[in-house]
Amino acid sequence: MTTSGPSDRSERPERGTERQNWIERRREKIRAEVDRNRRGEYTVPTWVLALALVLIVGGWLALIFLA
């Protein structure tokens, strides 16, 4: 017969507690990002810069080959 004592709970966190901790960490990251943006530390994401570069190069190539 097995019983679940306090040692069982300390070794493995509850699923609800784990999810709540994840939500709190996520909220803190969002708050920190909003604070940075308000201070003017906003940066453009790398994927946006890469997309802009691809569009510019693609436009130039289209001009060269289709003209």
Side-chain angles (χ1 to χ4, degrees):
M1 181 170 151
T2 58
T3 60
S4 60
S7 63
D8 290 343
R9 290 183 185 161
S10 63
E11 292 174 10
R12 211 173 104 199
E14 300 264 341
R15 181 74 176 149
T17 305
E18 184 178 313
R19 179 156 176 81
Q20 187 174 11
N21 289 337
W22 178 83
I23 291 171
E24 279 301 314
R25 285 193 310 267
R26 180 73 182 142
R27 285 181 182 163
E28 184 56 38
K29 287 171 83 174
I30 291 170
R31 284 187 200 111
E33 182 178 355
V34 169
D35 289 341
R36 280 193 309 271
N37 292 344
R38 287 181 180 166
R39 288 191 306 262
E41 299 176 17
Y42 177 75
T43 57
V44 179
T46 305
W47 68 268
V48 174
L49 296 174
L51 179 64
L53 179 62
V54 167
L55 291 174
I56 291 169
V57 170
W60 274 105
L61 290 174
L63 275 174
I64 291 170
F65 290 116
L66 299 176

